[in-house]
Amino acid sequence: MNCEVHGVYKNLRYRILVIDDQIYILDLGRSIWKIVFPFFFWMFPNTIFKVENHETVEKLRAPEVKQTSTGGIGILGGGIAVLIANLLRPLTDYFDIQSSSFVNSIIVMISVIMLVSLRFYINHLNKKNLYKVVNLEQLSTERLWIRPKPFKHFSLVLGMYLFFLAFTVMLFVAFIEFPNVMILFITMILLLFVLFASSITVAVGYTTVKFKGGKKAAS
């Protein structure tokens, strides 16, 4: 079943889905597991909220803009991360700190908790802003699977996620063994990419969906 995807203005958490002339809202931040593992959006059914009032949709709809290729963003992001690491390598000695592996592990845990808390705080703000226009809890719901289309989008998002995740883990381990403020700073930036990967799993444009139980959208 074909689906047209629109963004919500200045809100990364939600998408507007148009399926057989029916309008729904998809909440990308509803599940903690899907934020942590963004590819779960394609593996498991998602809850969508049916909107009857088209004026509400117009208030939420983002201005139409030309979509930028996520592949270019992924390659550029990875290139920038590597470039920054190489440029700052001669300066790393100036940012060395004297501390034990135990203390460094605590610093890593605190850093992760801070960034995860920031991610969920932004998630909460997005929900608060949307609920000023429409209360999703008052809408009827459906469940559907979302298929990434084209497949290139799936491979790029998954590749970007695994790339940044691998570098994040490697650099956190490196910081524990060789404590350096610059390594910690770069790692935190990479972790932010990982935590916000779920925001690009359902791209604006066209995709295909399948209702759970074979339910038709227009029924």
Side-chain angles (χ1 to χ4, degrees), residues 22-173:
Q22 302 294 316
I23 301 177
Y24 303 86
I25 292 178
L26 170 66
D27 184 354
L28 297 176
R30 183 179 178 87
S31 169
I32 294 177
W33 292 110
K34 290 179 180 179
I35 292 177
V36 177
F37 304 105
F39 45 88
F40 281 5
F41 278 104
W42 304 310
M43 297 175 59
F44 301 103
N46 302 276
T47 299
I48 56 175
F49 302 85
K50 188 173 183 179
V51 182
E52 301 288 354
N53 189 337
H54 287 204
E55 293 183 1
T56 298
V57 176
E58 292 305 317
K59 292 179 181 179
L60 297 174
R61 194 190 302 269
E64 295 297 331
V65 295
K66 184 178 180 180
Q67 294 301 298
T68 303
S69 171
T70 56
I73 294 176
I75 295 173
L76 178 62
I80 290 176
V82 174
L83 178 61
I84 290 176
N86 288 327
L87 290 176
L88 294 178
R89 186 179 301 169
L91 300 176
T92 54
D93 292 342
Y94 294 101
F95 294 94
D96 286 338
I97 56 178
Q98 301 299 321
S99 58
S100 66
S101 296
F102 176 73
V103 173
N104 297 337
S105 299
I106 294 177
I107 293 175
V108 167
M109 288 189 293
I110 293 175
S111 300
V112 171
I113 291 173
M114 287 176 57
L115 290 179
V116 171
S117 298
L118 174 63
R119 174 66 176 93
F120 285 102
Y121 175 69
I122 294 174
N123 199 48
H124 172 72
L125 288 182
N126 286 332
K127 177 179 179 180
K128 184 177 180 180
N129 289 334
L130 182 117
Y131 273 56
K132 291 178 181 178
V133 179
V134 56
N135 186 345
L136 298 185
E137 305 303 324
Q138 297 177 350
L139 305 180
S140 60
T141 62
E142 301 283 358
R143 299 274 287 171
L144 53 66
W145 282 274
I146 297 177
R147 308 303 184 193
K149 187 178 181 180
F151 180 77
K152 180 181 177 182
H153 177 72
F154 165 79
S155 59
L156 288 173
V157 172
L158 183 60
M160 289 168 54
Y161 172 81
L162 294 177
F163 174 84
F164 287 117
L165 180 61
F167 265 86
T168 298
V169 174
M170 289 171 56
L171 289 178
F172 269 140
V173 172

